[in-house]
Amino acid sequence: MSGRTGYDVIVVGAGSMGMSAGYYLAKRGVRTLLIDAFDPPHSNGSHHGEPRLIRHAYEGGPQYVRLALRADVLWQELEQESGVKLLERSGVINMADPSVLSLSQRFRDAEEAGIRCERLDGEEVRRRWQGLRMPDGFEALYEPNAGYLFSERCVAAYRRLALAAGAELLVNTTVIRVTATRSQVTVRTTKGVYTAGCAILSAGAWFRTLAPFANLPVRAVRKVVGWFDAESETDAPLFQAGNFPGFTFGSTLGGYYGFPNIGGAGIKIGRHDGGQPWKPGDPFEPFGTYLEDEADLRRALEAFLPAAAGRLRKGLACKYELSPDGHFIVDAHADYSNVLMAGGFSGHGFKFASAVGEALSDWLTAGKRPADVVPFARSRFAEPAPVHTPEEAIR
């Protein structure tokens, strides 16, 4: 740290979104301070336990498709600038019971955006990937240019490049209180008091600790993921990275996602829905605390990847930060437009972190909300509150 206490922008929460925003701000010459309660990348947020899927044919409408395509470009740029392998184009197969989840709109949005994808039946899926057991009544969408990101490497790359560009980072620092006027934000921490003309609040599952100043409708839940061996050595090559794609399943069992066996770690699988409520200050229970931690994951493997339902190698618990409708919240504070808030990424946000960080940086430097994040305004949950025009913006 330089000993400075005044900045152009303070970023509270330097995980995936915050670290990305800090990088894009610092790259533009903005005096930026990042503050995190831990030491990113770390295991206390939502970015640990690599990898994360990145898809472009996305559920949720054209706004997600556009954001995913921009994010992909930015991940490639970060990979080139950092010299670190961040993105693997393994392909991703999405399978769904149409009575639970239809893929039809996703196909239409993908075609309109020029995204290469294939509609496959059960016979074709089983022929291409012998480890997959897809029922004949299911729909399948395969996106060959999709894949996965190494999330912890991505956060580490943003951190290194942000610091190289002049950003400063306070780690293991708890934010006690945030206050603001139309032209200044004050952040009181366990390591001192810092001020800036603007701020970005991106505290993830810890947003509740910023109340009452920031009252986003975000709740945290405990989620688990596990890595499993194939049942036999004969079956193991079926699931190796390079042979097997990333995957998602939507069925009466629930919504699941997963990855091939990368570097001998085993097949990774997680459940998107469900989970136990959690809030900051509560104990965070490790994997295996509940019988369903392993049982839910194994049940899905037995249904759709039976040869991968072998020994559990490792399990992890992580945090989702859920918005009421499962869509992101990227907006200005109701009373201070020099304070931006980004949260509620609901377990599917990491792939967009590059584009969200860029958009937050654009918003503060240009003084105008970027079109890509207009659909994520908080006003969809309540009557919009008046937003003051800041007396000064970063240029």
Side-chain angles (χ1 to χ4, degrees), residues 277-292:
W278 178 83
K279 63 180 184 295
D282 286 353
F284 192 71
E285 295 155 330
F287 184 96
T289 300
Y290 303 96
L291 290 176
E292 60 264 34

Side-chain angles (χ1 to χ4, degrees), residues 55 58 64 272 320 326-328 344-352:
R55 297 168 285 151
Y58 210 77
Y64 280 108
H272 183 64
Y320 270 23
H327 297 298
F328 308 159
F345 291 100
S346 301
H348 63 113
F350 185 87
K351 64 183 70 65
F352 299 100

Side-chain angles (χ1 to χ4, degrees), residues 8 33 62 73 79 83 109 123 133 147 162 204 209 222 232 239 258 268 284 286 299 366 373:
D8 295 327
L33 174 64
V73 170
E79 191 172 67
D109 291 341
E123 181 179 358
R133 180 189 290 169
T209 65
R222 172 188 175 274
S232 70
F239 305 106
K268 178 187 175 182
F284 192 71
R299 189 178 302 117
V373 295

Side-chain angles (χ1 to χ4, degrees), residues 224-244:
V224 297
V225 294
W227 287 258
F228 292 79
D229 279 333
E231 289 186 333
S232 70
E233 291 185 9
T234 303
D235 294 324
L238 297 176
F239 305 106
Q240 291 295 329
N243 298 333
F244 199 72

Side-chain angles (χ1 to χ4, degrees), residues 29-361:
V30 176
R31 293 179 303 166
T32 304
L33 174 64
L34 295 135
I35 304 174
D36 200 89
F38 305 100
D39 192 356
H42 54 71
S43 60
N44 294 288
S46 303
H47 61 256
H48 74 298
E50 295 180 323
R52 296 292 189 278
L53 291 177
I54 179 166
R55 297 168 285 151
H56 314 108
Y58 210 77
E59 183 181 6
Q63 65 267 27
Y64 280 108
V65 174
R66 291 191 297 270
L67 202 63
L69 291 170
R70 178 58 183 164
D72 192 291
V73 170
L74 294 173
W75 290 124
Q76 292 179 67
E77 291 178 0
L78 180 65
E79 191 172 67
Q80 293 168 3
E81 188 171 352
S82 67
V84 177
K85 180 68 173 175
L86 304 175
L87 170 61
E88 190 68 57
R89 298 200 187 278
S90 63
V92 174
I93 179 77
N94 304 276
M95 306 192 317
D97 179 342
S99 69
V100 175
L101 173 67
S102 173
L103 300 177
S104 297
Q105 187 60 51
R106 200 181 302 185
F107 273 109
R108 289 192 288 270
D109 291 341
E111 287 179 356
E112 187 173 327
I115 296 168
R116 182 184 168 200
C117 58
E118 304 173 49
R119 188 188 294 265
L120 306 177
D121 59 20
E123 181 179 358
E124 179 65 12
V125 169
R126 295 188 295 270
R127 185 188 68 79
R128 291 197 194 184
W129 303 286
Q130 296 177 30
L132 275 173
R133 180 189 290 169
M134 174 176 149
D136 286 329
F138 276 44
E139 298 177 331
L141 181 158
Y142 176 60
E143 191 181 344
N145 292 327
Y148 49 85
L149 294 156
F150 295 101
S151 55
E152 293 169 40
R153 295 184 200 173
C154 292
V155 173
Y158 272 137
R159 172 177 173 162
R160 178 167 57 84
L161 293 174
L163 296 180
E168 296 183 30
L169 173 63
L170 272 174
V171 300
N172 302 314
T173 302
T174 300
V175 170
I176 299 168
R177 188 181 179 200
V178 180
T179 57
T181 67
R182 296 184 185 184
S183 58
Q184 181 173 289
V185 183
T186 301
V187 181
R188 291 170 172 80
T189 78
T190 51
K191 294 184 179 177
V193 179
Y194 302 89
T195 61
C198 301
I200 295 170
L201 309 183
S202 54
W206 303 84
F207 245 108
R208 184 175 293 196
T209 65
L210 301 180
F213 179 78
N215 278 314
L216 282 193
V218 171
R219 63 184 179 90
V221 297
R222 172 188 175 274
K223 302 293 295 179
V224 297
V225 294
W227 287 258
F228 292 79
D229 279 333
E231 289 186 333
S232 70
E233 291 185 9
T234 303
D235 294 324
L238 297 176
F239 305 106
Q240 291 295 329
N243 298 333
F244 199 72
F247 57 86
T248 70
F249 310 138
S251 77
T252 55
L253 293 178
Y256 292 85
Y257 62 92
F259 305 84
N261 179 356
I262 303 167
I267 282 274
K268 178 187 175 182
I269 186 169
R271 183 170 180 176
H272 183 64
D273 55 332
Q276 290 79 28
W278 178 83
K279 63 180 184 295
D282 286 353
F284 192 71
E285 295 155 330
F287 184 96
T289 300
Y290 303 96
L291 290 176
E292 60 264 34
D293 285 352
E294 180 177 346
D296 276 354
L297 304 180
R298 187 173 292 281
R299 189 178 302 117
L301 288 174
E302 289 170 346
F304 299 108
L305 289 85
R311 178 178 67 94
L312 174 70
R313 294 177 63 98
K314 182 176 73 169
L316 285 178
C318 60
K319 303 175 184 74
Y320 270 23
E321 37 149 339
L322 300 176
S323 71
D325 61 5
H327 297 298
F328 308 159
I329 306 171
V330 182
D331 208 345
H333 190 282
D335 296 313
Y336 307 103
S337 61
N338 53 336
V339 178
L340 303 184
M341 300 183 292
F345 291 100
S346 301
H348 63 113
F350 185 87
K351 64 183 70 65
F352 299 100
S354 57
V356 170
E358 180 189 54
L360 292 167
S361 174

